[in-house]
Amino acid sequence: MNILLLGSGGRESAFAWKLSQSPKCEQLFIAPGNAGTGQYGTNVNIRVTDFEGIGQFALNKNIDLVLVGPEEPLVKGIHDFFLNDDQLKNIPVIGPQREGAQLEGSKDFSKQFMVRHNIPAAASKTFTKDTLNDGFEYIATIGLPVVLKADGLAAGKGVLICLSVEEAQRELNEMLTEAKFGDASSSVVVEQFLQGIELSVFVMTDGTHYKILPEAKDYKRIGEGDTGLNTGGMGSISPVPFADAAFMQKVEDRIIIPTVDGLKNENISYKGFIFIGLMNCEGEPWVIEYNCRMGDPETESVMPRIESDLVDLLIGVAEGNLNEKELIISDKIAATVMMVSGGYPGEYLKNKTITGIENVRGSQVFHAGTYLDNETVKTSGGRVLAITSLQDNMFVALQQATADAARIYFDGMYFRKDIGFDLL
Ligand code: AMP
Ligand code: GLY
């Protein structure tokens, strides 16, 4: 079959790498892709939010399946766009329709969903400009730190963890009355802080059945020892040692089953991935957030551990018979180190020539923010390359990914050398 993958990051490189290994994949197109995705298929210069362009391309190239990488087109309704068009409606789209994508697109929607289905999550209330004073009062009562979340998509920046009541009240005021995060913060969820260690759990669902993909841990801070500014993610590891069978059973019983059943019972058609951001609080799982897509850089650690044919699994999602498909997961450990541009996550350097990729021996290099300038690979994004090593032993995987990252060079490059070592 012919597959169109939407997106241009490390996640999409890992997807493209895995899709292209399937005997069921005839032609693979990636829109818009990057210098790395071009190794596994054909890049197409169409933006992920250009629904008309994507639809036209899908018809022209006889696309049989569309896999959506990032959240933005899902929240904006790309799946609905296909379903509402007579010519496109029979092309399956992997990723929820607009309503289901609200699990990520609206923090208030997702919190209310969790409350309706008794899914463990931090206590919270949602406020708008009109209820600012109630918000101030609530902040004073829920204990410190206080977590503020802009309701809408804010490019990963909409969550603030405030250490004092005054700070939280000032920030709430700025979010609601001064549009600190634009429209995204016209409504703000105020919630209790959960103390624990985070992990990412991924579920693939056809709306009725589900498969639990390998879990992963993401390292969000720019600095070693988890210090400094938040980033999109500086590395990941899968599996996560503290997510043992007993913990994962709790996750399945208390979170995954109520989530999939809840969507179905509310008639929210959902075919795609559910990314559950969890806090492990003394062995008990609590939901921090849902995303309606796979994680980045988690996908770069998750895909190498999936031994089954991803295309076959996606067909199961599309056709509603995921229960008949097999998901085999490798026991090996995947470690991913993200190489980023100088200055990231602030203003960062661009258009730097990347050298040394050919010297990498024990890892897979997934491109994220790269492009081809004639024959030369150059940097275009903050997160540039994800270096993943799959090994029998966790220490070896971590050491190999880190050593391979050091074999690559671009001006101003940076990567954390401590990814995963805290878990040994
Ligand atoms: P989000 O944008 O929802 O992923 O939140 C960003 C980060 O804020 C999460 O990855 C957590 O590290 C942190 N966070 C969000 N909600 C909470 C909470 N209730 N308690 C503690 N940390 C949180
Ligand atoms: N790694 C976190 C995310 O993809 O949102």
Side-chain angles (χ1 to χ4, degrees):
M1 62 198 308
N2 296 336
I3 301 176
L4 173 61
L5 168 64
L6 302 184
S8 60
R11 169 183 48 215
E12 286 74 27
S13 288
F15 268 142
W17 170 80
K18 182 69 183 158
L19 293 169
S20 69
Q21 292 166 24
S22 168
K24 293 195 159 81
C25 180
E26 286 165 60
Q27 286 189 283
L28 173 63
F29 298 96
I30 308 97
N34 59 40
T37 58
Q39 301 169 322
Y40 318 115
T42 307
N43 288 340
V44 196
N45 190 14
I46 308 177
R47 283 176 302 115
V48 297
T49 49
D50 177 5
F51 296 177
E52 294 284 347
I54 292 165
Q56 228 6 280
F57 182 83
L59 292 175
N60 291 345
K61 295 290 180 182
N62 293 317
I63 295 297
D64 301 295
L65 185 110
V66 179
L67 171 57
V68 186
E71 63 278 13
E72 193 187 2
L74 294 168
V75 172
K76 291 190 168 155
I78 188 157
H79 195 156
D80 313 65
F81 177 85
F82 270 65
L83 289 174
N84 292 332
D85 184 298
D86 276 343
Q87 284 180 288
L88 296 173
K89 68 181 178 209
N90 293 322
I91 303 176
V93 175
I94 306 299
Q97 293 163 50
R98 190 188 278 123
E99 198 181 9
Q102 289 296 300
L103 281 185
E104 174 164 5
S106 165
K107 304 264 188 209
D108 180 49
F109 175 93
S110 76
K111 294 295 299 201
Q112 290 191 26
F113 179 87
M114 289 184 252
V115 170
R116 283 199 294 282
H117 300 287
N118 286 314
I119 294 167
S124 75
K125 281 190 179 169
T126 302
F127 301 96
T128 62
K129 206 158 54 177
D130 297 333
T131 54
L132 184 61
N133 285 325
D134 300 337
F136 288 165
E137 243 173 74
Y138 186 65
I139 284 170
T141 61
I142 60 167
L144 294 171
V146 176
V147 183
L148 303 185
K149 299 183 171 181
D151 178 52
L153 290 184
K157 296 191 173 72
V159 175
L160 302 176
I161 296 178
C162 304
L163 299 178
S164 73
V165 169
E166 295 70 33
E167 181 192 356
Q169 291 175 338
R170 188 178 65 242
E171 294 287 0
L172 182 68
N173 185 41
E174 283 180 22
M175 286 166 92
L176 290 175
T177 64
E178 291 164 33
K180 177 163 182 158
F181 300 106
D183 268 356
S185 67
S186 58
S187 191
V188 174
V189 175
V190 178
E191 76 175 31
Q192 266 177 340
F193 183 80
L194 298 168
Q195 189 75 51
I197 178 158
E198 281 183 70
L199 77 157
S200 307
V201 168
F202 301 99
V203 179
M204 176 187 264
T205 181
D206 61 12
T208 302
H209 318 98
Y210 64 85
K211 299 270 186 217
I212 305 175
L213 303 178
E215 78 287 351
K217 177 151 182 54
D218 169 22
Y219 290 79
K220 286 212 167 79
R221 302 296 193 94
I222 186 76
E224 289 175 5
D226 287 326
T227 54
L229 294 175
N230 254 323
T231 70
M234 294 296 293
S236 60
I237 183 154
S238 175
V240 179
F242 62 79
D244 57 15
F247 180 80
M248 289 306 289
Q249 193 61 54
K250 292 180 192 172
V251 173
E252 182 167 8
D253 294 341
R254 298 178 196 171
I255 297 165
I256 295 174
I257 293 173
T259 300
V260 174
D261 287 353
L263 289 165
K264 189 176 165 71
N265 293 336
E266 293 190 26
N267 288 317
I268 300 175
S269 160
Y270 199 112
K271 286 179 181 290
F273 297 98
I274 309 174
F275 166 167
I276 310 172
L278 290 177
M279 193 70 89
N280 174 343
C281 305
E282 295 173 346
E284 307 302 323
W286 294 76
V287 178
I288 296 176
E289 62 166 348
Y290 288 114
N291 294 309
C292 61
R293 52 167 174 93
M294 287 294 290
D296 194 351
E298 290 96 324
T299 306
E300 293 93 306
S301 293
V302 169
M303 285 303 137
R305 291 193 61 223
I306 297 180
E307 291 183 345
S308 313
D309 182 343
L310 179 63
V311 175
D312 195 41
L313 286 160
L314 296 180
I315 291 171
V317 170
E319 294 181 348
N321 56 3
L322 187 57
N323 54 323
E324 292 166 20
K325 306 293 181 183
E326 190 177 36
L327 171 63
I328 302 171
I329 295 174
S330 161
D331 289 333
K332 292 188 180 185
I333 287 98
T336 301
V337 171
M338 192 57 91
M339 303 186 68
V340 305
S341 296
Y344 178 78
E347 279 289 307
Y348 53 80
L349 302 173
K350 281 185 199 164
N351 306 314
K352 300 296 178 189
T353 298
I354 303 172
T355 56
I357 294 179
E358 68 283 0
N359 299 329
V360 168
R361 290 288 173 267
S363 304
Q364 188 66 36
V365 176
F366 294 121
H367 289 233
T370 67
Y371 69 100
L372 269 185
D373 183 9
N374 293 315
E375 298 290 281
T376 309
V377 182
K378 292 193 173 170
T379 68
S380 59
R383 294 193 292 173
V384 176
L385 297 168
I387 317 300
T388 298
S389 193
L390 183 70
Q391 304 288 343
D392 291 323
N393 169 296
M394 189 165 149
F395 181 76
V396 177
L398 294 168
Q399 210 180 31
Q400 186 69 48
T402 311
D404 277 330
R407 295 191 166 95
I408 299 173
Y409 178 80
F410 50 91
D411 187 20
M413 67 165 208
Y414 168 76
F415 60 93
R416 276 178 61 172
K417 298 178 187 67
D418 68 335
I419 298 295
F421 285 99
D422 58 315
L423 299 175
L424 282 171

